[in-house]
Amino acid sequence: MNATRNTRRDLLKLASATATNLWLPRGAWSQPRFTSNPFALGVASGMPTHEAVVLWTRLVQAGVPGDSTLGAGAITVRWEIADDENFSKIVQSGQSSAASELAHSVHVEVKGLAPDRWYFYRFMAGDAVSPVGRTRTFPAPDAPANRLRVAYASCQRWEHGYFSAWRHMRDDQPDVVLFLGDYIYEYAGASSAVRVPTGGVVLTLDDCRTRYALHRSEPELQAMHAACPWLVTWDDHEVQNDYAGLTPGNGGPAVADFAARRAAAYQAFYEHMPLRASVLTRALAGLSSGAEMRIYGQVPFGRLATLYLLDDRQYRDRQVCTRNDRFGSSLVNPERCDSWSDPQRTLLGATQEQWLDRAFAQAAGGATWNVVGQQTLFGRRDFRPGPGVTLWNDGWDGYEAARGRLITSLQRHRLANPVLLGGDVHENWVGHVKADYERPDSAALGVEFCGTSITSRASPAENFAALLAENPHFVFAENTRKGYGLVDFTPTQLTTTLRVVDDVTRRDTRVETLARFAVQAGRAVIERA
Ligand SMILES: [Fe+2]
């Protein structure tokens, strides 16, 4: 225990130090001679505000993605952010330190930028120069804004296909990407796999690093990270299928200390994502094993929209009435499950729930659109056509009281134009957020677009049309196509475009529009567009 605490304290010091801007004279730079391109995993930016953004990279030796052949010490990395792609007008520059204990990742928080503007950035280490990334700040919170294009995506299982969707998303030029979970999968293979990941089942910190590095070695994904800032959250597969809080899920070998596995997975997520260093340092400051890593939050995009990002995995109670009382999820008849509607059960955890309720309270008179990025399908989905109900206990359906409290919060604060974006189900679902899902005539409070996956397969449904008809608060659903969604916001309307690729098993697959929907501000009504 002491050893763990000491390690954590050391890591905390390191993480704090790497977040600080260094000013070392050239002679003091720690710069090994690289035998290959240290920037082979590319660059990324994230957590944009009206005046700040996080710039990310991770140094590696090509060919050995998870490893530490770069040595045990820290490496000095320089960075520049400029108005132009040629870096003739550099607006800020500095130095950071890439520590081996944090997989030689770099998380620079650049502050004092101008609002509502695109920038270019790059890193340098030794003689090596990174690819150029493009990022942007958001409009000031009280400033008008006429348009915003959000791309939402989730679920990129390596075995199920190629990451071509990212190439098409880049052509669609979003202002920001909301990534809604399952960036990696912990699995080692799949039946009829298109390709098999190196590294087997992901259990340890090094396993996780290898898997993230494998993903980031994909040019299409790298290019999308370099194209605009991202806001990222996770779901279960960044740790283990169907895990819930500190309760393990299922799949793969069981580990003796699940909290330690989760903490390692969270650290690796931090190391590979454009997150503020405070996300990690706050987690490390907690002393219990598997300490909280807060990744939920909100950010305004001028007066046009406020973007909220939730974490419905880290703080949730375990699923109830899973078959044979096992860990993980299953389909459940709620009438045969005493604990189904237990008012104590939580999906977001009490602290996050209170934070969200306060944020909704403060949103009054604020932005036109309130966009909530979260992991999964929000609306009720009855899998059993006809009489009787069958619900899935891992999504919002399995946390009925928690969903009820969120609906109450939307109503109590009369939240303007709520738009829920989700993932997880590997299918496109489009619907109205209802005051009461059991009463089809109850008020629509907002709209929901739950995305398909970048690659991950959906389970085949025998009669998908009947499933949609059974749940009339949804106006559209499709369960075979892979891709992403685009939401274009203006002060008067949103337009959502479902973009899907032809064949996820081909790198050169094309993209097309599956469907398009419009919602007028002030009216929670989805129309085909
Ligand atoms: Fe998934």
Side-chain angles (χ1 to χ4, degrees):
M1 188 65 194
N2 276 342
T4 314
R5 276 190 189 177
N6 285 338
T7 313
R8 190 174 291 120
R9 214 167 287 146
D10 292 344
L11 211 52
L12 177 56
K13 266 189 228 156
L14 264 171
S16 313
T18 57
T20 319
N21 211 353
L22 300 171
W23 286 109
L24 298 175
R26 180 177 280 267
W29 290 354
S30 165
Q31 300 196 320
R33 202 127 34 97
F34 301 110
T35 54
S36 61
N37 173 18
F39 295 109
L41 301 185
V43 299
S45 71
M47 297 185 95
T49 70
H50 66 285
E51 60 96 29
V53 69
V54 176
L55 308 181
W56 173 95
T57 192
R58 180 192 158 196
L59 306 181
V60 287
Q61 292 285 49
V64 271
D67 102 332
S68 48
T69 53
L70 287 172
I75 298 171
T76 307
V77 178
R78 289 161 289 139
W79 56 270
E80 293 173 343
I81 187 163
D83 279 333
D84 63 318
E85 206 167 355
N86 300 320
F87 292 84
S88 60
K89 290 183 212 148
I90 293 174
V91 294
Q92 283 190 43
S93 62
Q95 299 167 19
S96 185
S97 161
S100 60
E101 291 86 344
L102 295 169
H104 293 107
S105 60
V106 177
H107 299 77
V108 175
E109 193 173 347
V110 184
K111 295 178 182 167
L113 298 169
D116 201 12
R117 187 177 296 185
W118 287 93
Y119 289 98
F120 298 86
Y121 62 94
R122 64 183 176 188
F123 297 92
M124 286 141 297
D127 296 332
V129 182
S130 77
V132 173
R134 187 169 171 266
T135 192
R136 65 162 300 157
T137 51
F138 284 0
D142 55 353
N146 288 328
R147 53 186 62 250
L148 162 66
R149 171 169 281 189
V150 172
Y152 61 99
S154 59
C155 297
Q156 46 182 357
R157 188 157 170 190
W158 185 264
E159 298 94 312
H160 288 176
Y162 294 105
F163 293 170
S164 322
W166 295 119
R167 183 174 73 246
H168 296 297
M169 185 194 285
R170 186 166 184 260
D171 292 342
D172 286 332
Q173 300 184 4
D175 292 294
V176 61
V177 173
L178 292 193
F179 190 82
L180 302 175
D182 292 354
Y183 194 97
I184 61 165
Y185 282 69
E186 81 282 19
Y187 300 136
S191 59
S192 50
V194 176
R195 50 183 179 166
V196 175
T198 50
V201 184
V202 169
L203 294 172
T204 66
L205 179 56
D206 276 343
D207 295 343
C208 295
R209 287 168 170 171
T210 306
R211 187 62 50 87
Y212 280 106
L214 177 70
H215 281 52
R216 281 295 174 79
S217 67
E218 285 288 282
E220 296 96 338
L221 178 56
Q222 240 183 57
M224 191 62 238
H225 272 293
C228 74
W230 287 39
L231 290 164
V232 294
T233 188
W234 49 38
D235 195 22
D236 52 340
H237 288 288
E238 284 84 355
V239 181
Q240 186 190 23
N241 181 45
D242 285 349
Y243 89 91
L246 283 166
T247 306
N250 60 45
V255 297
D257 186 348
F258 179 72
R261 177 184 182 176
R262 195 185 85 157
Y266 284 5
Q267 182 180 328
F269 183 82
Y270 166 80
E271 288 170 350
H272 294 84
M273 293 297 155
L275 296 169
R276 284 181 205 117
S278 61
V279 168
L280 181 68
T281 54
R282 284 202 294 202
L284 291 168
L287 282 180
S288 68
S289 174
E292 179 202 2
M293 186 179 281
R294 178 178 161 169
I295 58 168
Y296 62 84
Q298 70 179 112
V299 59
F301 188 93
R303 293 213 304 260
L304 181 58
T306 297
L307 308 181
Y308 307 82
L309 198 63
L310 306 187
D311 174 358
D312 84 7
R313 197 45 76 173
Q314 181 173 190
Y315 312 100
R316 64 162 71 191
D317 289 324
R318 70 172 287 191
Q319 303 88 348
V320 287
C321 300
T322 291
R323 222 170 294 128
N324 305 323
D325 205 31
R326 293 220 303 259
F327 288 139
S329 69
S330 56
L331 289 171
V332 171
N333 176 351
E335 285 180 8
R336 295 210 204 108
C337 178
D338 289 341
S339 40
W340 191 261
S341 303
D342 179 349
Q344 302 298 323
R345 297 189 68 247
T346 184
L347 189 65
L348 301 178
T351 306
Q352 183 179 192
E353 219 175 83
Q354 284 157 18
W355 160 82
L356 189 62
D357 185 65
R358 265 199 312 274
F360 286 171
Q362 289 160 3
T368 304
W369 302 96
N370 285 285
V371 185
V372 183
Q374 47 82 48
Q375 282 76 4
T376 190
L377 192 68
F378 188 73
R380 185 176 197 252
R381 185 171 49 157
D382 176 9
F383 282 85
R384 175 188 289 253
V389 175
T390 300
L391 302 173
W392 187 42
N393 67 355
D394 190 63
W396 283 97
D397 275 334
Y399 297 80
E400 203 174 75
R403 180 169 60 199
R405 288 192 296 272
L406 183 53
I407 289 170
T408 303
S409 179
L410 295 176
Q411 289 176 301
R412 189 173 45 221
H413 304 304
R414 297 175 199 270
L415 190 71
N417 301 304
V419 181
L420 271 69
L421 302 178
D424 179 39
V425 297
H426 307 170
E427 297 168 354
N428 270 305
W429 286 78
V430 175
H432 296 103
V433 174
K434 301 288 279 185
D436 182 351
Y437 282 100
E438 294 193 36
R439 287 196 303 111
D441 60 340
S442 72
L445 307 174
V447 296
E448 165 174 29
F449 299 94
C450 186
T452 179
S453 55
I454 293 292
T455 56
S456 306
R457 292 173 194 147
S459 3
E462 264 173 36
N463 192 346
F464 197 72
L467 184 55
L468 177 57
E470 184 68 17
N471 297 282
H473 40 273
F474 289 109
V475 299
F476 178 88
E478 204 284 333
N479 67 335
T480 64
R481 308 296 298 273
K482 306 288 116 196
Y484 55 91
L486 298 173
V487 194
D488 288 294
F489 295 95
T490 74
T492 56
Q493 176 177 302
L494 77 71
T495 309
T496 296
T497 308
L498 307 183
R499 301 284 276 161
V500 292
V501 296
D502 290 344
D503 182 355
V504 79
T505 69
R506 293 173 57 113
R507 279 192 187 272
D508 63 353
T509 186
R510 290 177 312 179
V511 74
E512 64 178 337
T513 293
L514 175 67
R516 185 176 280 129
F517 304 92
V519 179
Q520 306 304 316
R523 293 182 67 222
V525 179
I526 300 169
E527 292 163 313
R528 283 300 277 258

